[in-house]
Amino acid sequence: MDNIVILTGAGISAESGLATFRGPGGLWEGHRVEDVCTPEALARDAALVHRFYDERRAALGRVAPNPAHVALARLDREWPGGLLIVTQNVDDLHERAGARRMLHMHGELNSALCASCGTRRAWEGSLPPGTTCGDCGSPTLRPDIVFFGEMPYRMDAIERALSDCDLFVSIGTSGAVYPAAGFVRTARYHGAATLELNLERSAGSAWFGETRLGPASELVPAWVDEVLAQSTQSSPMSR
Ligand code: APR
Ligand code: ZN
C-alpha cells in the first residue's frame, strides 16, 4: 500500500469545538446552510453572509487542533508513500497541526476571493461587503468559500490522487454533499481499499470496505499508529 488519500469533513473538527453542519437541529451556528452558503444568499443579503464568515473566521482564534488533526500531520510527516489530505473544511486546523500534503476543496476562512478577477489572497479579520480587490481594484472581495452550486477547488488534483490511491480513508463526513460523497466510489473503481472513521454510520457507509464508529480524536490516532507500524514492518530497512 503506497498511496493514501484522506477525505475529512466537519466531524474531524467537532472535538476542537467547531460546529458540524448537520448536527442536531440541522442549523449551522444558528443559520440554515442554505441561508449563508449559496450565491443567491450572497446576492440577497451580502451583509449577513459576510458577517457569518467573519464570525467563523474569528472563531478560529479560539479553537485548536485536536488529536485527530495532530495524528494526520504525523502521518503526513512519516508516511513514505504518496499522501493527500483532501479537506471539505474551511478551518485551518489541519495546517496548524502541521499537515502539508493537503488541499481545501471548499475554500478557506483565512482567504478572500475576488468575484471580478478571481484572485484569491490570504485574509485575516473581518471582510465587509464592498471591500476592494488589491489586484483589479473592484469592490468585489468575498469570503473564499465554495458555495453550493459552485465548482469545488482542485478537482483535477483530487481525481488524479483518487485514481492512483491504494487506500481511501474518509473521516468525519456525512457523505451528504457531492462531489466529495462520490470519492469513495471513484477510489473503489480504481481498486483502492476503503475505510470510514466516523461518529455514526453515514450516507456513504455501505460503499466502504470497513467502517469504524467513534470520535475522531480516538479513532484517527489509533489508525495512524496501525498504518505506520505496518509501513515500518514492510519497509526493506527493517529486514
Ligand atoms: N468524530 C468523528 N465524526 C464526527 C464527530 C466526531 N467527534 N462529530 C460528528 N461527526 C460526524 C457526524 O456523524 C457526521 O457524519 O461528522 C459528520 C459531519 O457531517 P456534516 O455536518 O454533514 O459535515 P460535512 O460532511 O463535512 O459536510 C460536507 O457540506 O455544508 C457543506 O460545504 C459544507 O463541507 C461541508 C459539506
Ligand atoms: Zn479582483
Side-chain angles (χ1 to χ4, degrees):
M1 173 179 65
D2 290 330
N3 301 322
I4 303 176
V5 173
I6 300 168
L7 173 67
T8 65
I12 199 169
S13 297
E15 290 164 271
S16 294
L18 293 180
T20 61
F21 296 89
R22 294 168 188 85
L27 291 182
W28 186 20
E29 311 266 354
H31 294 284
R32 287 179 336 115
V33 167
E34 296 69 30
D35 294 342
V36 288
C37 195
T38 63
E40 296 75 21
L42 185 62
R44 184 174 59 240
D45 189 346
L48 169 74
V49 173
H50 279 250
R51 195 168 55 248
F52 179 75
Y53 288 101
D54 285 353
E55 286 166 12
R56 296 193 59 229
R57 192 175 303 110
L60 291 182
R62 300 191 290 271
V63 297
N66 67 57
H69 298 106
V70 173
L72 289 190
R74 173 175 166 234
L75 181 66
D76 186 4
R77 280 193 306 278
E78 300 179 14
W79 178 251
L83 181 119
L84 179 63
I85 299 168
V86 178
T87 189
Q88 299 174 89
N89 299 340
V90 293
D91 64 55
D92 60 351
L93 295 175
H94 280 302
E95 294 89 326
R96 285 166 54 190
R100 294 283 172 272
R101 293 185 280 179
M102 65 166 288
L103 63 85
H104 286 269
M105 64 177 287
H106 288 164
E108 302 175 60
L109 286 169
N110 289 334
S111 173
L113 166 69
C114 177
S116 304
C117 71
T119 297
R120 297 174 67 197
R121 49 176 299 186
W123 194 269
E124 289 182 3
S126 75
L127 174 62
T131 301
T132 301
C133 168
D135 282 48
C136 72
S138 313
T140 51
L141 283 189
R142 57 167 265 192
D144 186 10
I145 303 293
V146 177
F147 289 149
F148 284 102
E150 294 180 332
M151 188 54 160
Y153 289 127
R154 309 288 307 283
M155 285 304 292
D156 51 339
I158 297 170
E159 297 290 349
R160 252 196 323 278
L162 290 171
S163 59
D164 292 344
C165 84
D166 306 293
L167 173 61
F168 175 75
V169 186
S170 174
I171 303 172
T173 181
S174 60
V177 174
Y178 286 80
F183 291 171
V184 59
R185 271 166 263 178
T186 305
R188 283 178 70 110
Y189 173 77
H190 290 289
T194 53
L195 169 65
E196 179 184 38
L197 307 177
N198 210 55
L199 192 64
E200 58 207 355
R201 286 187 67 77
S202 70
S205 290
W207 292 97
F208 286 88
E210 181 187 357
T211 290
R212 297 180 191 174
L213 298 181
S217 64
E218 291 171 21
L219 292 181
V220 179
W223 170 69
V224 167
D225 288 347
E226 204 179 286
V227 167
L228 289 176
Q230 280 168 13
S231 84
T232 44
Q233 278 152 20
S234 58
S235 69
M237 283 82 82
S238 66
R239 214 195 305 279

